[in-house]
Amino acid sequence: MTLLGPAEIRDLAELLNVQPTKKLGQNFVVDANTVRRIVKVAKVAAGEQVVEVGPGLGSLTLGLLEVGASVVAVEIDTRLAEQLPRTVSLLQPDADLTVVTADALRITELPGDPTRLVANLPYNVSVPVLLHLLENFSSLSAGVVMVQAEVGHRLAAEPGSKVYGSPSVKAAWYGAWRTAGNVSRQVFWPVPNVDSVLVAFERRTDALGTEDERLTTFRLVDAAFQQRRKMLRQSLGQILGGSQAATDAMVAAGIAPTARGEELTVHDFLAIARKIGNVTEASAHDDL
């Protein structure tokens, strides 16, 4: 046996006195077929360096190691982080595992240069964790994450979709996203009260813009979707010094001021961000 089953997972939880909590979004995968499916969808290859966030009791970790990957597992729970190497040494003694005990939202360095992210992400922090990792680890070129269905569909949504929003645009800054299959609630312990999906991504080969442009674009995106039913000249006006300033920037970017955030691509928001400085400088010059 190289993977964990339901009985082994419950035994480990009892050994560690671990009670899965909603606060940490802990729902452990107890089905080996689902684990192997995730690894296959993620196209993990032998010798590849993979980072996993929230390995928990090690279900997915063992699946990644089973195909010969080198895994860096980031775990915030000290008990789980200390047990994981022991579990792996028993079931796959020759596997290449490194455990980092840390909050995934705060890490800025990892051993090696992981090229793929594969994780069962806690529901409550899935989007912030994804964006943080993609921003801080440029070596990550692709991956698959299991997230709450609602979150997954938002990440993969296209402009015009009812679920298209801030996460959709920010994720698109880094690459292309798609849903890659549904996951039954029954493969988790405890059984969650939400559905889950797999979401796959591939990073852009070239960055869209500079770090300053990213920060400005994300500010615009946040403003646009905080009041998604309003026209952008109104919602963006709150951070650009008024609706006229927003209108000027949008017109300069070739975007209708009457548009709404749900209609714009990440490229559209970036175009507006790039015009803000020009419009501001022109206005200041006119006032002289």
Side-chain angles (χ1 to χ4, degrees):
M1 184 181 70
T2 58
L3 300 185
L4 296 172
E8 292 77 28
I9 288 173
R10 286 179 171 80
D11 287 345
L12 277 171
E14 184 177 353
L15 172 69
L16 300 174
N17 193 28
V18 169
Q19 295 292 329
T21 66
K22 288 185 178 180
K23 180 180 178 181
L24 294 178
Q26 291 172 321
N27 295 92
F28 302 124
V29 180
V30 297
D31 179 63
N33 289 331
T34 298
V35 167
R36 290 191 171 108
R37 175 188 167 205
I38 295 170
V39 174
K40 184 177 181 180
V41 170
K43 300 178 181 179
V44 178
E48 189 167 19
Q49 288 197 308
V50 178
V51 60
E52 180 190 8
V53 173
L57 294 169
S59 301
L60 181 55
T61 313
L62 288 163
L64 295 166
L65 294 169
E66 184 182 54
V67 299
S70 298
V71 177
V72 175
V74 181
E75 176 58 61
I76 193 172
D77 188 315
T78 305
R79 295 168 301 171
L80 298 176
E82 291 176 350
Q83 176 60 38
L84 187 57
R86 300 172 192 151
T87 301
V88 169
S89 67
L90 286 172
L91 298 179
Q92 298 184 36
D94 297 325
D96 184 3
L97 170 70
T98 302
V99 178
V100 176
T101 307
D103 182 347
L105 282 169
R106 296 181 181 277
I107 55 171
T108 55
E109 294 183 358
L110 285 172
D113 293 306
T115 57
R116 200 167 296 267
L117 168 65
V118 185
N120 169 24
L121 292 177
Y123 294 153
N124 53 345
V125 293
S126 53
V127 172
V129 165
L130 273 173
L131 296 179
H132 176 78
L133 292 176
L134 288 167
E135 179 56 32
N136 285 276
F137 299 97
S138 58
S139 61
L140 291 174
S141 61
V144 168
V145 293
M146 182 159 54
V147 295
Q148 182 179 344
E150 180 182 352
V151 172
H153 290 302
R154 283 182 180 173
L155 285 168
E158 297 288 340
S161 165
K162 290 182 179 179
V163 295
Y164 185 74
S166 176
S168 319
V169 185
K170 291 180 179 179
W173 177 273
Y174 299 103
W177 299 73
R178 63 180 177 84
T179 54
N182 299 319
V183 180
S184 168
R185 300 183 185 190
Q186 303 307 314
V187 305
F188 295 98
W189 174 72
V191 177
N193 57 4
V194 294
D195 294 318
S196 298
V197 296
L198 299 179
V199 181
F201 73 89
E202 292 186 7
R203 185 189 282 269
R204 297 180 186 278
T205 53
D206 296 316
L208 279 186
T210 66
E211 175 62 6
D212 285 343
E213 288 173 338
R214 182 189 71 83
L215 292 172
T216 302
T217 299
F218 281 19
R219 282 184 63 225
L220 295 175
V221 170
D222 287 336
F225 288 101
Q226 281 174 357
Q227 299 174 307
R228 62 182 297 145
R229 293 188 178 183
K230 287 190 175 183
M231 295 179 187
L232 279 175
R233 66 185 178 198
Q234 295 173 294
S235 54
L236 298 187
Q238 297 190 3
I239 63 170
L240 297 182
S243 61
Q244 187 57 55
T247 295
D248 292 343
M250 292 181 68
V251 169
I255 296 165
T258 53
R260 290 178 170 79
E262 62 200 35
E263 302 172 39
L264 272 59
T265 67
V266 65
H267 299 280
D268 293 331
F269 279 107
L270 174 58
I272 298 171
R274 285 175 168 165
K275 295 301 180 182
I276 290 174
N278 294 340
V279 169
T280 303
E281 289 172 10
S283 298
H285 185 267
D286 290 343
D287 290 340
L288 293 177

